[in-house]
Amino acid sequence: MESYVTGLRCAGCGHGLPVQYALSCPRCGGLLELEYDLERMAGLPRDRLSGPGIWRYAFALPVRDPAHRVSLGEGNTPLYDCPRLAEAIGVRKLWLKFEGTNPTGTVKDRTSATAVSAAREFGYKAIGVVSTGNAGSSLATYGTRAGLRTFIFCYERGSQPKLNHMAACASDLVFYRGVYDDMIGVFDRLVDEGLVFDGGASRNPFKHEGKKTIAYEVAEQLGWAVPDFFVAPVGVGETFIASYRGFRELAAMGWTAGVPRMVAAQSAVANPIVRAWREGGDLVPQRIGYTVAEGVAVGNPDAKGRYVLDILRREGGLAGDAADADIVAAQKLVARTEGIWAGPTGVVTVAVLRNLVRAGQVPSAARVVCMVTETGLKGEYPPIHPEGIVPDYEAVKKLVMARLGGFPA
Amino acid sequence: MESYVTGLRCAGCGHGLPVQYALSCPRCGGLLELEYDLERMAGLPRDRLSGPGIWRYAFALPVRDPAHRVSLGEGNTPLYDCPRLAEAIGVRKLWLKFEGTNPTGTVKDRTSATAVSAAREFGYKAIGVVSTGNAGSSLATYGTRAGLRTFIFCYERGSQPKLNHMAACASDLVFYRGVYDDMIGVFDRLVDEGLVFDGGASRNPFKHEGKKTIAYEVAEQLGWAVPDFFVAPVGVGETFIASYRGFRELAAMGWTAGVPRMVAAQSAVANPIVRAWREGGDLVPQRIGYTVAEGVAVGNPDAKGRYVLDILRREGGLAGDAADADIVAAQKLVARTEGIWAGPTGVVTVAVLRNLVRAGQVPSAARVVCMVTETGLKGEYPPIHPEGIVPDYEAVKKLVMARLGGFPA
């Protein structure tokens, strides 16, 4: 299917540009966003969509030449109706949008698909990113699959499962010491000189755009309807903004009746959005502490952070945070009630929803979708060293019967 | 869609039974298989299939009441066309059927779906399995999701990522010491007494059946065609036999023109099928050594093993094995050529294919599908402790330019 992209527009000053690889507004330096011919898109046959992975929604994505589109079957992730979890949390209806079934186990695969495809469209042979894990392994996977060189700049002490993954899939894995902020400065200069295509989360609108498909999928899975609340995690803000933009487009096209109330979920030790939202002021960059939710450990989300705040204020959204203990408890609750194994970053939304329900900010009659951005398989957990029982039939039978409540010995 | 199941039949003596929960032939003790009304199935609209997960093919599955069918979106996994890998291995066309996008990252989710659904259909409140990892975490996920008690009997020294996963999702995780063979004897007695529904791989035809959908998916993804060769791993033999049965049904229904040549892939230190196939005799149980491919570490596949051998001999199949070094090399090759991160068990098929091509047993003109049964995210790998570079712009730029081959310093 053809792309209906028409151009770029600055989210700050409104300046418009034709479709091109640009990372900031030439007038004001603001964030650039992609625009589409929504009027023509409205007439597309929404009940006969097809295509591999996120390219099911190729009309709403910015890669024009189908030959440039790479897919590993990302997206089309399940939307789990979770009645037991809903009851435990105290809302009428709760769905989890589980991104753990993506090829590398995280939501990042959606943006890797559009970033790598755009790199091909603009003639690049190499793509890069600075990452401690999920983004790096995802981009390495997609870049390699598309035949590009992949420069993954990785913190030397990243988590082992992710280091192994990146080491296997990246053509060029470069470890660095020091802090992310130093490396990102170096990386941005490489990008600005055109040595590698920008696979980072903060500037490139073509990369960002892949996550917009979350909104399209959720709406389609609900029969072209939207929930009352949509809870998305906020680190840099990519998932939140992209989902919101998707819901906005769908409403503008008349495919859905409106947009959900957006809820920004953060870790309590990396919560600049939540603070500004509660206190009513500007975004204040923050020196962050350790959080189990490493994917949202961002103290200065910068331009995208301000944009998130803007959406929350303009649209009557909500923001909330959760302590590490709440996040770990949410991870267990999701696993024990619904059998779904998600990582700590993935369940920040669930922990935050629980807090907001308790505080009365989300009503019990609400119908809610929580993004769950990653599988639990990529985490590092405290080792378990159990002592097993000896396989003796009578002893095991007694144990099983006692637990089942029948004929306890 | 309705199920077209008609009964059970013994794979050994041919004795038939009505549909019921039975684990062996009452006449000869042989393996039971499910049968379907293939004539009526042939008339189904194969190009308008739908339904969640593997229930897209509900007509060919044995769960009659849709209310009993549990799905977490398993199946519908990508079939990757891999031109670079095909070239490296020396075959004309190679696809990988990548099971890593299943909810728990392995092919086991297909059988967990049918096992748990059948447990509900037969009125069971608890299901169980003996497992060191993948099967246990998958069954815990599906059982919990369906509201059943899940008794997972797990070896006390299983791999950490899998222990964590099972500990989170199982209602009743019971660790044992000693060897699998001791525990499976105890477990089978619990099953025979009706305390838990059988979630194991060796006897229950309802559990086995879920993997048949692999063949249906591959055929559908190839436009209702089959490859020349289909390479499946053999531990107990469940994946191999179920795939074969699926291909047979499709051909009998006239949906495909024939069945692929089946290739049984084993680890060189756990290769009873390969030995018997090479030497022409009976299956000889084997004392196995350590292999990185822990999912196929089976020395005595017993009845299913003999069935695999039977299929190979009757249908002109092939069997091959690969040493651990070959398997690890195949894992790296798949990652570096196509960006796909699979576990060692997952790539046994690729390693074996490479050996068979080198030996001239698979011709270079062949069109081959290899099953890749698991993601790489569940493995334990040797730790990496890299020393990072200092983020200095000029140094990093020089490094990138040198690697890109432009203006080397």
Side-chain angles (χ1 to χ4, degrees):
Chain A
M1 188 179 282
E2 82 184 278
S3 166
Y4 286 68
V5 67
T6 55
L8 291 159
R9 190 165 302 279
C10 176
C13 72
H15 179 57
L17 297 171
V19 176
Q20 63 190 276
Y21 175 46
L23 300 176
S24 60
C25 174
R27 276 213 195 141
C28 77
L31 283 176
L32 291 174
E33 291 191 314
L34 288 149
E35 286 195 320
Y36 300 83
D37 187 341
L38 297 177
E39 210 166 307
R40 280 182 62 222
M41 275 159 63
L44 290 170
R46 68 177 192 186
D47 295 322
R48 292 200 309 276
L49 302 175
S50 67
I54 59 166
W55 304 104
R56 177 181 187 84
Y57 309 105
F59 56 89
L61 294 172
V63 180
R64 284 171 163 158
D65 184 348
H68 293 147
R69 296 173 190 161
V70 59
S71 178
L72 283 152
E74 65 294 329
N76 191 24
T77 57
L79 184 70
Y80 295 139
D81 183 357
C82 295
R84 287 182 212 94
L85 184 62
E87 200 188 330
I89 286 183
V91 290
R92 179 155 61 101
K93 196 88 181 162
L94 177 58
W95 295 270
L96 300 185
K97 180 66 174 162
F98 182 64
E99 294 289 301
T101 62
N102 278 303
T104 76
T106 82
V107 67
K108 306 277 183 184
D109 291 339
R110 295 177 188 267
T111 41
S112 295
T114 51
V116 167
S117 300
R120 295 211 285 197
E121 189 121 307
F122 293 111
Y124 274 74
K125 303 288 179 224
I127 191 166
V129 71
V130 182
S131 167
T132 53
N134 285 340
S137 45
S138 177
L139 199 74
T141 291
Y142 279 79
T144 297
R145 175 73 175 160
L148 299 184
R149 291 292 286 270
T150 54
F151 283 88
I152 310 297
F153 297 96
C154 176
Y155 177 50
E156 60 181 2
R157 293 201 210 142
S159 90
Q160 288 294 334
K162 292 169 188 170
L163 292 188
N164 266 286
H165 189 172
M166 285 183 275
C169 296
S171 68
D172 297 85
L173 178 59
V174 181
F175 294 104
Y176 70 89
R177 63 182 63 173
V179 299
Y180 177 86
D181 286 344
D182 300 332
M183 191 64 220
I184 196 72
V186 170
F187 175 75
D188 282 348
R189 285 180 66 183
L190 295 176
V191 165
D192 290 336
E193 292 202 25
L195 287 173
V196 296
F197 192 75
D198 186 9
S202 48
R203 299 194 292 169
N204 184 353
F206 293 88
K207 194 244 174 193
H208 185 104
E209 204 67 354
K211 286 187 183 169
K212 208 177 62 182
T213 55
I214 296 164
Y216 281 80
E217 278 183 25
V218 167
E220 186 173 2
Q221 287 169 316
L222 294 177
W224 300 109
V226 298
D228 302 325
F229 292 86
F230 184 83
V231 190
V234 178
V236 165
E238 195 181 55
T239 301
F240 183 95
I241 298 169
S243 308
Y244 168 74
R245 291 185 59 238
F247 284 123
R248 264 272 153 252
E249 287 177 2
L250 287 162
M253 288 154 63
W255 287 19
T256 60
V259 299
R261 284 186 73 186
M262 298 292 294
V263 182
Q266 297 202 297
S267 160
V269 297
N271 62 351
I273 302 290
V274 178
R275 286 188 189 197
W277 183 78
R278 280 183 191 145
E279 291 158 19
D282 286 343
L283 184 76
V284 180
Q286 177 186 335
R287 202 187 158 80
I288 63 171
Y290 170 80
T291 171
V292 288
E294 58 184 27
V296 291
V298 178
N300 184 12
D302 209 26
K304 286 199 178 170
R306 289 190 293 275
Y307 191 13
V308 169
L309 212 45
D310 204 47
I311 293 168
L312 291 176
R313 286 171 178 161
R314 200 171 59 217
E315 304 273 356
L318 288 172
D321 56 12
D324 272 15
D326 298 339
I327 295 168
V328 171
Q331 187 185 24
K332 285 185 183 149
L333 182 68
V334 169
R336 289 297 305 115
T337 53
E338 304 289 351
I340 297 160
W341 185 225
T345 299
V347 297
V348 167
T349 50
V350 177
V352 166
L353 174 65
R354 206 179 190 189
N355 288 345
L356 291 173
V357 171
R358 282 177 179 163
Q361 293 185 275
V362 170
S364 61
R367 295 159 60 257
V368 184
V369 169
C370 283
M371 284 294 302
V372 173
T373 54
E374 61 165 12
T375 174
L377 299 176
K378 300 182 87 168
E380 283 186 311
Y381 303 100
I384 302 179
H385 295 295
E387 234 183 89
I389 58 170
V390 174
D392 169 79
Y393 177 65
E394 292 305 332
V396 173
K397 180 179 172 182
K398 201 183 277 185
L399 181 153
V400 170
M401 289 181 82
R403 296 218 188 166
L404 286 176
F407 323 102
Chain B
M1 187 179 282
E2 80 182 281
S3 166
Y4 286 69
V5 67
T6 54
L8 290 159
R9 191 165 299 281
C10 176
C13 72
H15 179 56
L17 296 172
V19 176
Q20 62 191 275
Y21 175 47
L23 300 175
S24 59
C25 174
R27 274 211 196 141
C28 76
L31 283 176
L32 290 175
E33 292 192 314
L34 289 150
E35 286 196 320
Y36 300 82
D37 187 341
L38 297 177
E39 211 165 305
R40 280 181 61 222
M41 274 159 62
L44 291 171
R46 68 177 191 187
D47 295 322
R48 292 201 308 277
L49 302 175
S50 67
I54 59 166
W55 304 104
R56 177 182 187 84
Y57 309 104
F59 56 88
L61 295 172
V63 180
R64 284 170 163 159
D65 184 347
H68 294 147
R69 296 173 190 161
V70 59
S71 177
L72 284 152
E74 65 292 331
N76 192 24
T77 58
L79 183 70
Y80 295 139
D81 183 357
C82 294
R84 287 181 212 95
L85 183 62
E87 200 188 331
I89 286 183
V91 289
R92 179 156 61 101
K93 197 87 180 161
L94 176 58
W95 294 270
L96 300 185
K97 180 66 174 162
F98 182 64
E99 294 289 302
T101 62
N102 278 303
T104 77
T106 81
V107 68
K108 306 277 183 184
D109 291 339
R110 296 177 187 268
T111 42
S112 295
T114 51
V116 167
S117 301
R120 295 211 286 195
E121 188 120 309
F122 294 111
Y124 274 73
K125 303 288 180 224
I127 191 167
V129 71
V130 182
S131 166
T132 54
N134 285 340
S137 46
S138 177
L139 200 73
T141 290
Y142 278 79
T144 297
R145 174 73 176 160
L148 301 184
R149 291 292 286 269
T150 54
F151 283 87
I152 310 297
F153 297 95
C154 176
Y155 177 49
E156 61 182 1
R157 293 202 209 141
S159 89
Q160 288 294 335
K162 292 170 188 169
L163 291 189
N164 267 286
H165 189 170
M166 286 183 276
C169 296
S171 68
D172 296 86
L173 178 59
V174 181
F175 294 104
Y176 69 90
R177 63 182 63 173
V179 299
Y180 177 88
D181 287 345
D182 300 332
M183 191 64 222
I184 196 73
V186 170
F187 176 75
D188 282 348
R189 286 180 65 185
L190 294 176
V191 166
D192 291 336
E193 292 202 25
L195 288 174
V196 296
F197 192 75
D198 187 8
S202 49
R203 301 194 293 167
N204 184 353
F206 294 87
K207 194 244 174 194
H208 185 103
E209 204 66 353
K211 286 186 183 169
K212 209 177 62 182
T213 55
I214 295 164
Y216 281 79
E217 278 183 24
V218 167
E220 186 172 3
Q221 287 168 316
L222 294 176
W224 300 110
V226 297
D228 301 325
F229 292 87
F230 183 83
V231 190
V234 178
V236 165
E238 196 181 53
T239 301
F240 183 95
I241 298 169
S243 308
Y244 168 75
R245 290 185 60 238
F247 284 123
R248 264 272 153 251
E249 288 177 1
L250 288 162
M253 289 154 61
W255 287 19
T256 59
V259 299
R261 283 186 73 186
M262 297 293 293
V263 182
Q266 296 201 297
S267 160
V269 296
N271 62 352
I273 303 290
V274 178
R275 287 188 189 198
W277 184 78
R278 278 183 191 146
E279 292 156 20
D282 287 341
L283 184 75
V284 180
Q286 176 186 338
R287 202 188 158 80
I288 62 171
Y290 170 80
T291 170
V292 287
E294 57 184 26
V296 291
V298 178
N300 183 13
D302 208 29
K304 286 199 178 170
R306 290 190 294 276
Y307 192 12
V308 170
L309 213 45
D310 205 48
I311 294 168
L312 292 175
R313 286 170 178 161
R314 198 171 60 217
E315 304 273 357
L318 288 173
D321 56 12
D324 273 14
D326 298 339
I327 295 168
V328 171
Q331 188 185 23
K332 285 186 182 149
L333 182 68
V334 169
R336 288 297 305 116
T337 52
E338 303 290 351
I340 298 160
W341 185 224
T345 300
V347 298
V348 167
T349 50
V350 177
V352 166
L353 174 65
R354 204 179 191 189
N355 288 344
L356 291 173
V357 171
R358 281 176 180 164
Q361 293 185 274
V362 170
S364 62
R367 296 159 60 258
V368 184
V369 170
C370 283
M371 284 294 302
V372 175
T373 55
E374 61 165 11
T375 174
L377 298 176
K378 300 182 87 169
E380 283 187 312
Y381 303 100
I384 303 177
H385 296 295
E387 236 184 89
I389 58 168
V390 173
D392 168 81
Y393 178 65
E394 292 305 330
V396 173
K397 180 179 174 182
K398 201 182 276 186
L399 181 154
V400 170
M401 290 181 82
R403 295 218 188 166
L404 286 175
F407 322 103

